[in-house]
PDB file of all heavy atoms in Angstrom:
ATOM      1  N   PHE G  10       8.018   7.515   7.538  1.00  0.00           N
ATOM      2  CA  PHE G  10       7.331   7.100   6.276  1.00  0.00           C
ATOM      3  C   PHE G  10       6.610   8.265   5.594  1.00  0.00           C
ATOM      4  O   PHE G  10       6.133   9.178   6.214  1.00  0.00           O
ATOM      5  CB  PHE G  10       6.293   6.024   6.594  1.00  0.00           C
ATOM      6  CG  PHE G  10       6.841   4.788   7.211  1.00  0.00           C
ATOM      7  CD1 PHE G  10       6.691   4.514   8.565  1.00  0.00           C
ATOM      8  CD2 PHE G  10       7.537   3.858   6.446  1.00  0.00           C
ATOM      9  CE1 PHE G  10       7.223   3.375   9.139  1.00  0.00           C
ATOM     10  CE2 PHE G  10       8.056   2.715   6.987  1.00  0.00           C
ATOM     11  CZ  PHE G  10       7.878   2.461   8.383  1.00  0.00           C
ATOM     12  N   TRP G  11       6.553   8.157   4.254  1.00  0.00           N
ATOM     13  CA  TRP G  11       5.651   9.018   3.487  1.00  0.00           C
ATOM     14  C   TRP G  11       5.153   8.212   2.300  1.00  0.00           C
ATOM     15  O   TRP G  11       5.780   7.296   1.821  1.00  0.00           O
ATOM     16  CB  TRP G  11       6.334  10.311   3.058  1.00  0.00           C
ATOM     17  CG  TRP G  11       7.514  10.212   2.156  1.00  0.00           C
ATOM     18  CD1 TRP G  11       7.521  10.427   0.798  1.00  0.00           C
ATOM     19  CD2 TRP G  11       8.862   9.930   2.503  1.00  0.00           C
ATOM     20  NE1 TRP G  11       8.793  10.275   0.271  1.00  0.00           N
ATOM     21  CE2 TRP G  11       9.639   9.964   1.321  1.00  0.00           C
ATOM     22  CE3 TRP G  11       9.514   9.590   3.699  1.00  0.00           C
ATOM     23  CZ2 TRP G  11      11.011   9.682   1.276  1.00  0.00           C
ATOM     24  CZ3 TRP G  11      10.901   9.351   3.707  1.00  0.00           C
ATOM     25  CH2 TRP G  11      11.611   9.393   2.462  1.00  0.00           C
ATOM     26  N   LEU G  12       3.940   8.580   1.832  1.00  0.00           N
ATOM     27  CA  LEU G  12       3.246   7.827   0.834  1.00  0.00           C
ATOM     28  C   LEU G  12       3.819   8.024  -0.563  1.00  0.00           C
ATOM     29  O   LEU G  12       4.197   9.167  -0.881  1.00  0.00           O
ATOM     30  CB  LEU G  12       1.758   8.166   0.850  1.00  0.00           C
ATOM     31  CG  LEU G  12       0.842   7.278   0.023  1.00  0.00           C
ATOM     32  CD1 LEU G  12       0.783   5.852   0.554  1.00  0.00           C
ATOM     33  CD2 LEU G  12      -0.593   7.891   0.030  1.00  0.00           C
ATOM     34  N   ASN G  13       3.906   6.997  -1.353  1.00  0.00           N
ATOM     35  CA  ASN G  13       4.232   7.104  -2.786  1.00  0.00           C
ATOM     36  C   ASN G  13       2.912   7.443  -3.502  1.00  0.00           C
ATOM     37  O   ASN G  13       2.209   6.552  -3.955  1.00  0.00           O
ATOM     38  CB  ASN G  13       4.823   5.795  -3.293  1.00  0.00           C
ATOM     39  CG  ASN G  13       5.217   5.878  -4.763  1.00  0.00           C
ATOM     40  OD1 ASN G  13       5.012   6.903  -5.415  1.00  0.00           O
ATOM     41  ND2 ASN G  13       5.807   4.804  -5.277  1.00  0.00           N
ATOM     42  N   GLU G  14       2.635   8.699  -3.601  1.00  0.00           N
ATOM     43  CA  GLU G  14       1.369   9.153  -4.111  1.00  0.00           C
ATOM     44  C   GLU G  14       1.156   8.651  -5.585  1.00  0.00           C
ATOM     45  O   GLU G  14       0.007   8.333  -5.939  1.00  0.00           O
ATOM     46  CB  GLU G  14       1.290  10.693  -4.110  1.00  0.00           C
ATOM     47  CG  GLU G  14       1.435  11.314  -2.730  1.00  0.00           C
ATOM     48  CD  GLU G  14       0.129  11.290  -1.944  1.00  0.00           C
ATOM     49  OE1 GLU G  14      -0.869  10.816  -2.514  1.00  0.00           O
ATOM     50  OE2 GLU G  14       0.122  11.779  -0.798  1.00  0.00           O
ATOM     51  N   SER G  15       2.210   8.604  -6.343  1.00  0.00           N
ATOM     52  CA  SER G  15       2.056   8.199  -7.783  1.00  0.00           C
ATOM     53  C   SER G  15       1.554   6.800  -7.955  1.00  0.00           C
ATOM     54  O   SER G  15       0.829   6.509  -8.911  1.00  0.00           O
ATOM     55  CB  SER G  15       3.407   8.339  -8.496  1.00  0.00           C
ATOM     56  OG  SER G  15       4.353   7.370  -8.037  1.00  0.00           O
ATOM     57  N   LEU G  16       1.898   5.904  -7.002  1.00  0.00           N
ATOM     58  CA  LEU G  16       1.380   4.523  -7.057  1.00  0.00           C
ATOM     59  C   LEU G  16       0.127   4.364  -6.264  1.00  0.00           C
ATOM     60  O   LEU G  16      -0.783   3.603  -6.661  1.00  0.00           O
ATOM     61  CB  LEU G  16       2.457   3.544  -6.575  1.00  0.00           C
ATOM     62  CG  LEU G  16       2.073   2.074  -6.593  1.00  0.00           C
ATOM     63  CD1 LEU G  16       1.624   1.654  -7.990  1.00  0.00           C
ATOM     64  CD2 LEU G  16       3.282   1.229  -6.140  1.00  0.00           C
ATOM     65  N   ALA G  17       0.010   5.064  -5.138  1.00  0.00           N
ATOM     66  CA  ALA G  17      -1.112   4.895  -4.232  1.00  0.00           C
ATOM     67  C   ALA G  17      -2.440   5.158  -4.977  1.00  0.00           C
ATOM     68  O   ALA G  17      -3.450   4.481  -4.715  1.00  0.00           O
ATOM     69  CB  ALA G  17      -1.010   5.819  -3.038  1.00  0.00           C
ATOM     70  N   GLU G  18      -2.473   6.103  -5.875  1.00  0.00           N
ATOM     71  CA  GLU G  18      -3.710   6.441  -6.600  1.00  0.00           C
ATOM     72  C   GLU G  18      -4.189   5.300  -7.482  1.00  0.00           C
ATOM     73  O   GLU G  18      -5.365   5.217  -7.825  1.00  0.00           O
ATOM     74  CB  GLU G  18      -3.532   7.697  -7.423  1.00  0.00           C
ATOM     75  CG  GLU G  18      -2.563   7.577  -8.586  1.00  0.00           C
ATOM     76  CD  GLU G  18      -2.518   8.839  -9.448  1.00  0.00           C
ATOM     77  OE1 GLU G  18      -3.523   9.120 -10.135  1.00  0.00           O
ATOM     78  OE2 GLU G  18      -1.488   9.510  -9.390  1.00  0.00           O
ATOM     79  N   TRP G  19      -3.290   4.341  -7.855  1.00  0.00           N
ATOM     80  CA  TRP G  19      -3.671   3.253  -8.699  1.00  0.00           C
ATOM     81  C   TRP G  19      -4.222   2.054  -7.918  1.00  0.00           C
ATOM     82  O   TRP G  19      -4.891   1.182  -8.520  1.00  0.00           O
ATOM     83  CB  TRP G  19      -2.449   2.784  -9.526  1.00  0.00           C
ATOM     84  CG  TRP G  19      -2.114   3.762 -10.586  1.00  0.00           C
ATOM     85  CD1 TRP G  19      -1.231   4.799 -10.498  1.00  0.00           C
ATOM     86  CD2 TRP G  19      -2.680   3.838 -11.889  1.00  0.00           C
ATOM     87  NE1 TRP G  19      -1.203   5.500 -11.653  1.00  0.00           N
ATOM     88  CE2 TRP G  19      -2.073   4.928 -12.530  1.00  0.00           C
ATOM     89  CE3 TRP G  19      -3.628   3.093 -12.566  1.00  0.00           C
ATOM     90  CZ2 TRP G  19      -2.442   5.304 -13.862  1.00  0.00           C
ATOM     91  CZ3 TRP G  19      -3.964   3.459 -13.881  1.00  0.00           C
ATOM     92  CH2 TRP G  19      -3.382   4.504 -14.489  1.00  0.00           C
ATOM     93  N   ILE G  20      -3.985   1.986  -6.640  1.00  0.00           N
ATOM     94  CA  ILE G  20      -4.377   0.825  -5.873  1.00  0.00           C
ATOM     95  C   ILE G  20      -5.910   0.638  -5.928  1.00  0.00           C
ATOM     96  O   ILE G  20      -6.374  -0.510  -6.217  1.00  0.00           O
ATOM     97  CB  ILE G  20      -3.906   0.936  -4.416  1.00  0.00           C
ATOM     98  CG1 ILE G  20      -2.342   0.952  -4.412  1.00  0.00           C
ATOM     99  CG2 ILE G  20      -4.471  -0.200  -3.572  1.00  0.00           C
ATOM    100  CD1 ILE G  20      -1.694  -0.247  -5.027  1.00  0.00           C
ATOM    101  N   PRO G  21      -6.733   1.610  -5.629  1.00  0.00           N
ATOM    102  CA  PRO G  21      -8.211   1.389  -5.748  1.00  0.00           C
ATOM    103  C   PRO G  21      -8.639   1.059  -7.182  1.00  0.00           C
ATOM    104  O   PRO G  21      -9.645   0.341  -7.381  1.00  0.00           O
ATOM    105  CB  PRO G  21      -8.813   2.696  -5.272  1.00  0.00           C
ATOM    106  CG  PRO G  21      -7.726   3.722  -5.349  1.00  0.00           C
ATOM    107  CD  PRO G  21      -6.457   2.996  -5.154  1.00  0.00           C
ATOM    108  N   ARG G  22      -7.904   1.484  -8.170  1.00  0.00           N
ATOM    109  CA  ARG G  22      -8.258   1.185  -9.558  1.00  0.00           C
ATOM    110  C   ARG G  22      -7.999  -0.278  -9.836  1.00  0.00           C
ATOM    111  O   ARG G  22      -8.789  -0.939 -10.541  1.00  0.00           O
ATOM    112  CB  ARG G  22      -7.441   2.061 -10.508  1.00  0.00           C
ATOM    113  CG  ARG G  22      -7.756   3.554 -10.360  1.00  0.00           C
ATOM    114  CD  ARG G  22      -6.855   4.415 -11.186  1.00  0.00           C
ATOM    115  NE  ARG G  22      -7.025   5.822 -10.856  1.00  0.00           N
ATOM    116  CZ  ARG G  22      -6.314   6.801 -11.370  1.00  0.00           C
ATOM    117  NH1 ARG G  22      -5.354   6.512 -12.238  1.00  0.00           N
ATOM    118  NH2 ARG G  22      -6.500   8.062 -11.032  1.00  0.00           N
ATOM    119  N   PHE G  23      -6.897  -0.829  -9.362  1.00  0.00           N
ATOM    120  CA  PHE G  23      -6.644  -2.262  -9.517  1.00  0.00           C
ATOM    121  C   PHE G  23      -7.715  -3.069  -8.751  1.00  0.00           C
ATOM    122  O   PHE G  23      -8.202  -4.088  -9.238  1.00  0.00           O
ATOM    123  CB  PHE G  23      -5.270  -2.612  -9.037  1.00  0.00           C
ATOM    124  CG  PHE G  23      -4.140  -2.137  -9.926  1.00  0.00           C
ATOM    125  CD1 PHE G  23      -3.106  -1.400  -9.395  1.00  0.00           C
ATOM    126  CD2 PHE G  23      -4.150  -2.434 -11.280  1.00  0.00           C
ATOM    127  CE1 PHE G  23      -2.072  -0.943 -10.231  1.00  0.00           C
ATOM    128  CE2 PHE G  23      -3.110  -1.984 -12.099  1.00  0.00           C
ATOM    129  CZ  PHE G  23      -2.074  -1.258 -11.582  1.00  0.00           C
ATOM    130  N   LYS G  24      -8.087  -2.569  -7.578  1.00  0.00           N
ATOM    131  CA  LYS G  24      -9.091  -3.244  -6.783  1.00  0.00           C
ATOM    132  C   LYS G  24     -10.412  -3.289  -7.537  1.00  0.00           C
ATOM    133  O   LYS G  24     -11.125  -4.317  -7.551  1.00  0.00           O
ATOM    134  CB  LYS G  24      -9.274  -2.518  -5.457  1.00  0.00           C
ATOM    135  CG  LYS G  24     -10.274  -3.146  -4.523  1.00  0.00           C
ATOM    136  CD  LYS G  24      -9.793  -4.477  -4.008  1.00  0.00           C
ATOM    137  CE  LYS G  24     -10.727  -5.011  -2.939  1.00  0.00           C
ATOM    138  NZ  LYS G  24     -10.237  -6.334  -2.435  1.00  0.00           N
ATOM    139  N   SER G  25     -10.749  -2.169  -8.213  1.00  0.00           N
ATOM    140  CA  SER G  25     -12.023  -2.104  -8.963  1.00  0.00           C
ATOM    141  C   SER G  25     -12.073  -3.066 -10.135  1.00  0.00           C
ATOM    142  O   SER G  25     -13.143  -3.386 -10.625  1.00  0.00           O
ATOM    143  CB  SER G  25     -12.268  -0.674  -9.432  1.00  0.00           C
ATOM    144  OG  SER G  25     -11.412  -0.329 -10.474  1.00  0.00           O
ATOM    145  N   ARG G  26     -10.883  -3.527 -10.602  1.00  0.00           N
ATOM    146  CA  ARG G  26     -10.816  -4.440 -11.714  1.00  0.00           C
ATOM    147  C   ARG G  26     -10.923  -5.898 -11.214  1.00  0.00           C
ATOM    148  O   ARG G  26     -10.869  -6.842 -11.978  1.00  0.00           O
ATOM    149  CB  ARG G  26      -9.525  -4.280 -12.487  1.00  0.00           C
ATOM    150  CG  ARG G  26      -9.464  -3.015 -13.332  1.00  0.00           C
ATOM    151  CD  ARG G  26     -10.560  -3.010 -14.400  1.00  0.00           C
ATOM    152  NE  ARG G  26     -10.420  -1.953 -15.400  1.00  0.00           N
ATOM    153  CZ  ARG G  26     -10.853  -0.727 -15.254  1.00  0.00           C
ATOM    154  NH1 ARG G  26     -11.498  -0.377 -14.175  1.00  0.00           N
ATOM    155  NH2 ARG G  26     -10.704   0.164 -16.218  1.00  0.00           N
ATOM    156  N   GLY G  27     -11.029  -6.060  -9.883  1.00  0.00           N
ATOM    157  CA  GLY G  27     -11.237  -7.396  -9.351  1.00  0.00           C
ATOM    158  C   GLY G  27      -9.994  -8.159  -8.961  1.00  0.00           C
ATOM    159  O   GLY G  27     -10.080  -9.355  -8.627  1.00  0.00           O
ATOM    160  N   TYR G  28      -8.856  -7.519  -8.994  1.00  0.00           N
ATOM    161  CA  TYR G  28      -7.608  -8.207  -8.613  1.00  0.00           C
ATOM    162  C   TYR G  28      -7.565  -8.344  -7.089  1.00  0.00           C
ATOM    163  O   TYR G  28      -7.959  -7.452  -6.353  1.00  0.00           O
ATOM    164  CB  TYR G  28      -6.384  -7.405  -9.094  1.00  0.00           C
ATOM    165  CG  TYR G  28      -6.194  -7.423 -10.575  1.00  0.00           C
ATOM    166  CD1 TYR G  28      -6.578  -6.354 -11.383  1.00  0.00           C
ATOM    167  CD2 TYR G  28      -5.704  -8.583 -11.216  1.00  0.00           C
ATOM    168  CE1 TYR G  28      -6.440  -6.374 -12.727  1.00  0.00           C
ATOM    169  CE2 TYR G  28      -5.590  -8.614 -12.579  1.00  0.00           C
ATOM    170  CZ  TYR G  28      -5.921  -7.532 -13.330  1.00  0.00           C
ATOM    171  OH  TYR G  28      -5.804  -7.549 -14.714  1.00  0.00           O
ATOM    172  N   SER G  29      -7.025  -9.485  -6.663  1.00  0.00           N
ATOM    173  CA  SER G  29      -6.729  -9.666  -5.254  1.00  0.00           C
ATOM    174  C   SER G  29      -5.479  -8.903  -4.948  1.00  0.00           C
ATOM    175  O   SER G  29      -4.444  -9.013  -5.661  1.00  0.00           O
ATOM    176  CB  SER G  29      -6.529 -11.153  -4.950  1.00  0.00           C
ATOM    177  OG  SER G  29      -6.138 -11.344  -3.610  1.00  0.00           O
ATOM    178  N   LEU G  30      -5.503  -8.051  -3.932  1.00  0.00           N
ATOM    179  CA  LEU G  30      -4.344  -7.214  -3.569  1.00  0.00           C
ATOM    180  C   LEU G  30      -3.768  -7.703  -2.267  1.00  0.00           C
ATOM    181  O   LEU G  30      -4.475  -7.829  -1.253  1.00  0.00           O
ATOM    182  CB  LEU G  30      -4.776  -5.759  -3.417  1.00  0.00           C
ATOM    183  CG  LEU G  30      -5.366  -5.101  -4.686  1.00  0.00           C
ATOM    184  CD1 LEU G  30      -5.691  -3.634  -4.376  1.00  0.00           C
ATOM    185  CD2 LEU G  30      -4.376  -5.180  -5.842  1.00  0.00           C
ATOM    186  N   VAL G  31      -2.453  -7.951  -2.264  1.00  0.00           N
ATOM    187  CA  VAL G  31      -1.769  -8.419  -1.074  1.00  0.00           C
ATOM    188  C   VAL G  31      -0.560  -7.488  -0.864  1.00  0.00           C
ATOM    189  O   VAL G  31       0.146  -7.169  -1.810  1.00  0.00           O
ATOM    190  CB  VAL G  31      -1.261  -9.877  -1.264  1.00  0.00           C
ATOM    191  CG1 VAL G  31      -0.476 -10.309  -0.034  1.00  0.00           C
ATOM    192  CG2 VAL G  31      -2.494 -10.798  -1.465  1.00  0.00           C
ATOM    193  N   LEU G  32      -0.342  -7.104   0.377  1.00  0.00           N
ATOM    194  CA  LEU G  32       0.860  -6.388   0.767  1.00  0.00           C
ATOM    195  C   LEU G  32       1.838  -7.401   1.339  1.00  0.00           C
ATOM    196  O   LEU G  32       1.476  -8.147   2.202  1.00  0.00           O
ATOM    197  CB  LEU G  32       0.492  -5.306   1.804  1.00  0.00           C
ATOM    198  CG  LEU G  32       1.613  -4.261   2.078  1.00  0.00           C
ATOM    199  CD1 LEU G  32       1.676  -3.317   0.911  1.00  0.00           C
ATOM    200  CD2 LEU G  32       1.287  -3.505   3.368  1.00  0.00           C
ATOM    201  N   GLY G  33       3.064  -7.393   0.849  1.00  0.00           N
ATOM    202  CA  GLY G  33       4.095  -8.325   1.320  1.00  0.00           C
ATOM    203  C   GLY G  33       5.304  -7.552   1.737  1.00  0.00           C
ATOM    204  O   GLY G  33       6.101  -7.127   0.886  1.00  0.00           O
ATOM    205  N   SER G  34       5.561  -7.456   3.058  1.00  0.00           N
ATOM    206  CA  SER G  34       6.564  -6.518   3.528  1.00  0.00           C
ATOM    207  C   SER G  34       7.479  -7.151   4.576  1.00  0.00           C
ATOM    208  O   SER G  34       6.984  -7.770   5.521  1.00  0.00           O
ATOM    209  CB  SER G  34       5.882  -5.279   4.122  1.00  0.00           C
ATOM    210  OG  SER G  34       6.818  -4.392   4.677  1.00  0.00           O
ATOM    211  N   ASN G  35       8.776  -6.950   4.430  1.00  0.00           N
ATOM    212  CA  ASN G  35       9.729  -7.153   5.515  1.00  0.00           C
ATOM    213  C   ASN G  35       9.607  -5.983   6.446  1.00  0.00           C
ATOM    214  O   ASN G  35       9.983  -4.853   6.106  1.00  0.00           O
ATOM    215  CB  ASN G  35      11.180  -7.238   4.996  1.00  0.00           C
ATOM    216  CG  ASN G  35      11.496  -8.537   4.323  1.00  0.00           C
ATOM    217  OD1 ASN G  35      10.729  -9.497   4.404  1.00  0.00           O
ATOM    218  ND2 ASN G  35      12.642  -8.582   3.669  1.00  0.00           N
ATOM    219  N   THR G  36       9.076  -6.207   7.633  1.00  0.00           N
ATOM    220  CA  THR G  36       8.848  -5.090   8.522  1.00  0.00           C
ATOM    221  C   THR G  36       8.679  -5.606   9.953  1.00  0.00           C
ATOM    222  O   THR G  36       8.666  -6.793  10.210  1.00  0.00           O
ATOM    223  CB  THR G  36       7.539  -4.316   8.095  1.00  0.00           C
ATOM    224  OG1 THR G  36       7.413  -3.133   8.868  1.00  0.00           O
ATOM    225  CG2 THR G  36       6.303  -5.198   8.324  1.00  0.00           C
ATOM    226  N   ASN G  37       8.582  -4.728  10.891  1.00  0.00           N
ATOM    227  CA  ASN G  37       8.402  -5.060  12.287  1.00  0.00           C
ATOM    228  C   ASN G  37       7.040  -4.549  12.768  1.00  0.00           C
ATOM    229  O   ASN G  37       6.421  -3.736  12.098  1.00  0.00           O
ATOM    230  CB  ASN G  37       9.565  -4.471  13.129  1.00  0.00           C
ATOM    231  CG  ASN G  37       9.687  -2.965  12.981  1.00  0.00           C
ATOM    232  OD1 ASN G  37       8.923  -2.201  13.585  1.00  0.00           O
ATOM    233  ND2 ASN G  37      10.632  -2.557  12.139  1.00  0.00           N
ATOM    234  N   ILE G  38       6.652  -5.009  13.941  1.00  0.00           N
ATOM    235  CA  ILE G  38       5.285  -4.713  14.372  1.00  0.00           C
ATOM    236  C   ILE G  38       5.083  -3.238  14.663  1.00  0.00           C
ATOM    237  O   ILE G  38       3.982  -2.730  14.416  1.00  0.00           O
ATOM    238  CB  ILE G  38       4.930  -5.570  15.622  1.00  0.00           C
ATOM    239  CG1 ILE G  38       3.442  -5.487  15.923  1.00  0.00           C
ATOM    240  CG2 ILE G  38       5.847  -5.165  16.850  1.00  0.00           C
ATOM    241  CD1 ILE G  38       2.967  -6.493  16.956  1.00  0.00           C
ATOM    242  N   LEU G  39       6.103  -2.526  15.104  1.00  0.00           N
ATOM    243  CA  LEU G  39       5.928  -1.093  15.334  1.00  0.00           C
ATOM    244  C   LEU G  39       5.675  -0.339  14.050  1.00  0.00           C
ATOM    245  O   LEU G  39       4.779   0.503  13.945  1.00  0.00           O
ATOM    246  CB  LEU G  39       7.138  -0.499  16.089  1.00  0.00           C
ATOM    247  CG  LEU G  39       7.355  -0.997  17.497  1.00  0.00           C
ATOM    248  CD1 LEU G  39       8.670  -0.399  18.046  1.00  0.00           C
ATOM    249  CD2 LEU G  39       6.196  -0.584  18.397  1.00  0.00           C
ATOM    250  N   HIS G  40       6.459  -0.662  13.054  1.00  0.00           N
ATOM    251  CA  HIS G  40       6.329  -0.044  11.746  1.00  0.00           C
ATOM    252  C   HIS G  40       4.997  -0.396  11.069  1.00  0.00           C
ATOM    253  O   HIS G  40       4.258   0.468  10.576  1.00  0.00           O
ATOM    254  CB  HIS G  40       7.482  -0.337  10.807  1.00  0.00           C
ATOM    255  CG  HIS G  40       8.720   0.437  11.131  1.00  0.00           C
ATOM    256  ND1 HIS G  40       9.975   0.125  10.632  1.00  0.00           N
ATOM    257  CD2 HIS G  40       8.935   1.579  11.901  1.00  0.00           C
ATOM    258  CE1 HIS G  40      10.854   1.012  11.048  1.00  0.00           C
ATOM    259  NE2 HIS G  40      10.235   1.856  11.840  1.00  0.00           N
ATOM    260  N   SER G  41       4.682  -1.687  11.026  1.00  0.00           N
ATOM    261  CA  SER G  41       3.478  -2.093  10.298  1.00  0.00           C
ATOM    262  C   SER G  41       2.213  -1.563  11.005  1.00  0.00           C
ATOM    263  O   SER G  41       1.271  -1.095  10.318  1.00  0.00           O
ATOM    264  CB  SER G  41       3.391  -3.612  10.193  1.00  0.00           C
ATOM    265  OG  SER G  41       3.284  -4.255  11.436  1.00  0.00           O
ATOM    266  N   ASP G  42       2.180  -1.565  12.329  1.00  0.00           N
ATOM    267  CA  ASP G  42       1.025  -1.018  13.043  1.00  0.00           C
ATOM    268  C   ASP G  42       0.852   0.475  12.729  1.00  0.00           C
ATOM    269  O   ASP G  42      -0.251   0.977  12.543  1.00  0.00           O
ATOM    270  CB  ASP G  42       1.170  -1.207  14.534  1.00  0.00           C
ATOM    271  CG  ASP G  42       0.805  -2.608  14.999  1.00  0.00           C
ATOM    272  OD1 ASP G  42       0.420  -3.434  14.157  1.00  0.00           O
ATOM    273  OD2 ASP G  42       0.978  -2.892  16.192  1.00  0.00           O
ATOM    274  N   HIS G  43       2.015   1.162  12.635  1.00  0.00           N
ATOM    275  CA  HIS G  43       1.946   2.598  12.400  1.00  0.00           C
ATOM    276  C   HIS G  43       1.505   2.943  10.999  1.00  0.00           C
ATOM    277  O   HIS G  43       0.597   3.727  10.766  1.00  0.00           O
ATOM    278  CB  HIS G  43       3.331   3.214  12.684  1.00  0.00           C
ATOM    279  CG  HIS G  43       3.373   4.682  12.424  1.00  0.00           C
ATOM    280  ND1 HIS G  43       2.856   5.600  13.301  1.00  0.00           N
ATOM    281  CD2 HIS G  43       3.859   5.415  11.356  1.00  0.00           C
ATOM    282  CE1 HIS G  43       3.047   6.827  12.801  1.00  0.00           C
ATOM    283  NE2 HIS G  43       3.644   6.741  11.605  1.00  0.00           N
ATOM    284  N   TYR G  44       2.161   2.302   9.965  1.00  0.00           N
ATOM    285  CA  TYR G  44       1.826   2.754   8.621  1.00  0.00           C
ATOM    286  C   TYR G  44       0.472   2.189   8.198  1.00  0.00           C
ATOM    287  O   TYR G  44      -0.163   2.766   7.285  1.00  0.00           O
ATOM    288  CB  TYR G  44       2.937   2.459   7.605  1.00  0.00           C
ATOM    289  CG  TYR G  44       3.373   1.048   7.311  1.00  0.00           C
ATOM    290  CD1 TYR G  44       2.523   0.126   6.739  1.00  0.00           C
ATOM    291  CD2 TYR G  44       4.705   0.645   7.476  1.00  0.00           C
ATOM    292  CE1 TYR G  44       2.924  -1.138   6.394  1.00  0.00           C
ATOM    293  CE2 TYR G  44       5.135  -0.609   7.132  1.00  0.00           C
ATOM    294  CZ  TYR G  44       4.239  -1.511   6.599  1.00  0.00           C
ATOM    295  OH  TYR G  44       4.672  -2.798   6.242  1.00  0.00           O
ATOM    296  N   ARG G  45      -0.037   1.158   8.829  1.00  0.00           N
ATOM    297  CA  ARG G  45      -1.401   0.743   8.505  1.00  0.00           C
ATOM    298  C   ARG G  45      -2.399   1.859   8.915  1.00  0.00           C
ATOM    299  O   ARG G  45      -3.385   2.054   8.227  1.00  0.00           O
ATOM    300  CB  ARG G  45      -1.760  -0.550   9.202  1.00  0.00           C
ATOM    301  CG  ARG G  45      -1.084  -1.778   8.580  1.00  0.00           C
ATOM    302  CD  ARG G  45      -1.492  -3.034   9.293  1.00  0.00           C
ATOM    303  NE  ARG G  45      -2.888  -3.386   8.971  1.00  0.00           N
ATOM    304  CZ  ARG G  45      -3.463  -4.535   9.380  1.00  0.00           C
ATOM    305  NH1 ARG G  45      -2.764  -5.405  10.110  1.00  0.00           N
ATOM    306  NH2 ARG G  45      -4.697  -4.807   9.044  1.00  0.00           N
TER     307      ARG G  45
END
C-alpha cells in the first residue's frame, strides 16, 4: 500500500466541516489491520 496524498489532505478538511466520514472497503483482516 501507499497513500493517495492528493486526497488524504482533504479528509481532515471534510471532517472540520462536520461531515460524518465512513470508510467502506472490500478487504481482509490482514490488510485492514495493517493500513489502519
Side-chain angles (χ1 to χ4, degrees):
F10 300 104
W11 64 100
L12 190 65
N13 182 356
E14 301 279 358
S15 69
L16 180 54
E18 66 176 290
W19 288 92
I20 298 303
R22 298 173 188 176
F23 289 127
K24 182 69 172 179
S25 72
R26 289 297 191 274
Y28 290 102
S29 176
L30 299 181
V31 177
L32 193 73
S34 177
N35 283 349
T36 190
N37 57 80
I38 192 168
L39 292 177
H40 282 166
S41 64
D42 282 357
H43 179 78
Y44 64 62
R45 287 183 71 175

